[in-house]
């Protein structure tokens, strides 16, 4: 402030050090040094009046000032039309079409819609509550990239609903219909990609480096190739609506149908959810999976595949798979 500048000038004439000046006006020593070096005269003296004048000159010539704050015509135009319930987008386009020509009497410099929103939600205007002039009266600005909500159909192309699944899959009458899911561990990038045969409850669990579509689809493809080697067809996979299942069409190219549960309806693929519950017995949520190997995961997988199940009349998944196909799984 001008008063502080006068104090600095007076103390400098008394040859007081920057450190002592700091104790008087309670400004950082570096700030005092910058002030003096920036506004000292050619004769290497510091004068408060000249420093104040130069400061205001610099403020007027700033290139990065907000456009609306630097021009009262724009500011008044925006406020007037906001009072008439116009939206920032309508105001912006109105300026562009009818007022942006500098030769006309009603000339107003053009500002885009986002600039107007920034002005309304600026910290320095918070006390004015300009957001109350908007239609929805939101006191906080919604981030640009979150305004248009992504739906399931935009994330996963050519998604087929579980409601269109064949009746033979619903009745669990054949081997080769799988359900898939991921088991995550908070704070860890690696995840378990879990898959289970609906009929035999045969589990296939694999540790993947991340929860991406590329990592997930590679596991499902490996299951298709593995079953093909033992002459067992894979007919379908049922997924949830996670991003990791976005590449499901690569399975369609292998002749495997893919279906998706309704949003927030994980109970529609109850077999895999039940398997995930069993896995948590061995790998709780706080497990550091980075210290595990695929061999460790395989041991857990086979423990589950050799455990008797009530739904299989107390046969294990491996035994029931062999009963249905006459092939011993690997």
């Amino acid at each position: 402030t001008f008063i502080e500048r006068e104090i600095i000038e007076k103390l400098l004439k008394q040859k007081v050090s920057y450190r002592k000046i700091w104790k008087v006006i309670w400004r950082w020593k570096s700030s005092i040094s910058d002030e003096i070096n920036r506004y000292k005269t050619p004769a290497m003296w510091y004068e408060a009046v000249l420093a104040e004048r130069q400061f205001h000159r610099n403020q007027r010539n700033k290139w990065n000032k907000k456009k609306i704050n630097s021009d009262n015509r724009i500011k008044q135009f925006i406020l007037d039309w906001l009072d008439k319930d116009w939206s920032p987008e309508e105001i912006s386009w109105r300026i562009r079409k009818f007022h942006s020509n500098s030769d006309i009497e009603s000339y107003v410099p053009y500002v885009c819609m986002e600039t107007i929103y920034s002005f309304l939600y600026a910290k320095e205007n918070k006390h004015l509550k300009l957001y109350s002039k908007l239609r929805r009266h939101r006191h906080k600005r919604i981030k640009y990239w979150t305004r248009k909500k992504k739906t399931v159909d935009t994330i996963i192309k050519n998604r087929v609903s579980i409601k269109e699944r064949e009746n033979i899959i619903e009745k669990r009458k054949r081997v080769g219909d799988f359900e898939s899911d991921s088991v995550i561990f908070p704070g860890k990038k690696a995840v378990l990609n879990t898959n289970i045969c609906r009929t035999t409850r045969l589990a296939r669990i694999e540790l993947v480096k991340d929860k991406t579509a590329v990592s997930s689809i590679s596991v499902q493809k490996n299951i298709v190739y593995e079953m093909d080697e033992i002459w067992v067809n894979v007919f379908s996979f049922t997924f949830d609506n996670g991003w990791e299942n976005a590449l499901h069409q690569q399975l369609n190219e292998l002749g495997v149908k893919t279906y998706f549960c309704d949003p927030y309806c994980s109970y529609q693929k109850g077999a895999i959810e039940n398997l995930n519950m069993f896995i948590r017995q061995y790998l709780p949520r706080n497990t550091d999976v980075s210290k595990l190997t695929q061999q460790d995961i395989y041991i857990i997988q086979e423990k589950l595949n050799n455990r008797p199940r009530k739904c299989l009349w107390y046969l294990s998944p491996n035994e029931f798979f062999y009963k249905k196909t006459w092939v011993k799984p690997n």
Side-chain angles (χ1 to χ4, degrees):
T1 64
F2 181 63
I3 295 173
E4 290 172 329
R5 289 190 169 101
E6 286 184 319
I7 294 172
I8 292 174
E9 179 185 359
K10 184 177 180 180
L11 294 176
L12 284 175
K13 287 179 179 178
Q14 298 174 10
K15 297 186 179 180
V16 176
S17 68
Y18 292 175
R19 186 178 295 275
K20 290 183 179 178
I21 295 175
W22 163 65
K23 291 181 180 179
V24 174
I25 64 173
W26 289 103
R27 295 278 187 174
W28 288 108
K29 179 184 170 183
S30 59
S31 299
I32 295 170
S33 175
D34 291 342
E35 169 72 16
I36 294 168
N37 291 331
R38 187 181 294 119
Y39 298 124
K40 62 188 176 185
T41 64
M44 306 303 288
W45 281 98
Y46 177 85
E47 295 185 19
V49 175
L50 296 178
E52 182 77 5
R53 190 181 303 162
Q54 183 62 38
F55 166 75
H56 287 294
R57 188 182 298 120
N58 292 346
Q59 289 296 306
R60 287 194 300 272
N61 296 333
K62 279 177 70 175
W63 62 271
N64 62 342
K65 286 193 296 186
K66 292 180 179 177
K67 196 172 183 180
I68 296 176
N69 291 332
S70 62
D71 195 320
N72 285 329
R73 289 173 299 176
I74 309 174
K75 188 173 183 178
Q76 195 56 48
F77 186 92
I78 292 170
L79 294 176
D80 288 345
W81 288 108
L82 282 173
D83 288 335
K84 296 179 181 179
D85 300 329
W86 285 29
S87 72
E89 185 177 10
E90 292 164 348
I91 295 170
S92 175
W93 277 99
R94 189 75 178 183
I95 294 173
R96 176 178 246 177
K97 290 196 72 174
F98 300 106
H99 301 276
S100 60
N101 187 349
S102 58
D103 295 331
I104 62 176
E105 186 178 348
S106 60
Y107 167 70
V108 176
Y110 171 72
V111 287
C112 70
M113 172 185 71
E114 289 300 320
T115 303
I116 298 174
Y117 273 114
S118 298
F119 163 69
L120 297 178
Y121 284 97
K123 285 184 179 180
E124 59 267 24
N125 299 327
K126 191 174 181 180
H127 65 286
L128 299 175
K129 296 184 178 180
L130 296 175
Y131 61 81
S132 62
K133 297 178 181 290
L134 299 174
R135 289 170 187 168
R136 297 187 183 274
H137 311 294
R138 286 198 179 100
H139 68 279
K140 190 175 182 181
R141 177 73 163 141
I142 298 177
K143 291 181 180 178
Y144 182 78
W145 56 87
T146 62
R147 288 176 209 156
K148 292 182 180 178
K149 298 295 182 183
K150 293 184 178 180
T151 63
V152 169
D153 293 326
T154 60
I155 297 171
I156 303 173
K157 303 295 183 183
N158 298 323
R159 172 182 172 276
V160 180
S161 172
I162 195 172
K163 294 174 182 176
E164 300 179 30
R165 201 162 61 173
E166 300 172 57
N167 193 42
I168 193 172
I169 302 176
E170 296 294 333
K171 292 185 175 181
R172 307 177 193 267
K173 293 293 185 182
R174 69 183 178 191
V175 178
D177 296 305
F178 282 80
E179 294 178 1
S180 182
D181 201 0
S182 296
V183 177
I184 62 172
F185 299 87
K188 308 300 177 187
K189 193 174 181 181
V191 300
L192 291 182
N193 190 280
T194 57
N195 299 269
I196 193 169
C197 177
R198 284 174 54 82
T199 303
T200 65
R201 293 300 197 270
L202 186 74
R204 286 295 178 259
I205 308 169
E206 190 161 337
L207 181 66
V208 292
K209 62 181 180 179
D210 51 32
K211 193 183 177 183
T212 60
V214 174
S215 298
S216 297
I217 198 66
S218 65
V219 178
Q220 279 96 49
K221 281 184 174 180
N222 287 340
I223 293 173
V224 175
Y225 299 145
E226 177 196 343
M227 293 296 159
D228 188 55
E229 287 179 1
I230 59 176
W231 301 93
V232 175
N233 292 326
V234 176
F235 297 100
S236 71
F237 274 92
T238 301
F239 302 103
D240 57 23
N241 296 288
W243 286 53
E244 69 271 19
N245 303 316
L247 297 178
H248 70 101
Q249 293 180 80
Q250 294 185 20
L251 291 173
N252 299 152
E253 295 169 2
L254 299 176
V256 180
K257 295 182 179 180
T258 53
Y259 302 96
F260 290 85
C261 297
D262 297 329
Y264 310 107
C265 295
S266 58
Y267 62 86
Q268 293 177 338
K269 51 179 183 62
I272 192 66
E273 297 296 335
N274 203 40
L275 175 67
N276 293 346
M277 179 188 68
F278 292 151
I279 292 172
R280 289 295 187 194
Q281 177 184 351
Y282 303 101
L283 302 173
R285 292 178 65 84
N286 58 356
T287 303
D288 187 357
V289 288
S290 62
K291 296 179 180 179
L292 299 177
T293 65
Q294 187 56 45
Q295 183 61 30
D296 298 325
I297 303 302
Y298 179 78
I299 292 171
I300 296 172
Q301 170 188 294
E302 290 312 301
K303 278 187 177 182
L304 295 173
N305 283 335
N306 290 309
R307 180 190 294 185
R309 300 289 183 88
K310 182 179 179 180
C311 63
L312 303 178
W313 298 279
Y314 296 100
L315 293 175
S316 70
N318 278 338
E319 290 169 340
F320 198 77
F321 185 87
Y322 179 72
K323 181 180 177 181
K324 285 286 186 180
T325 63
W326 297 103
V327 176
K328 289 186 177 180
N330 296 330

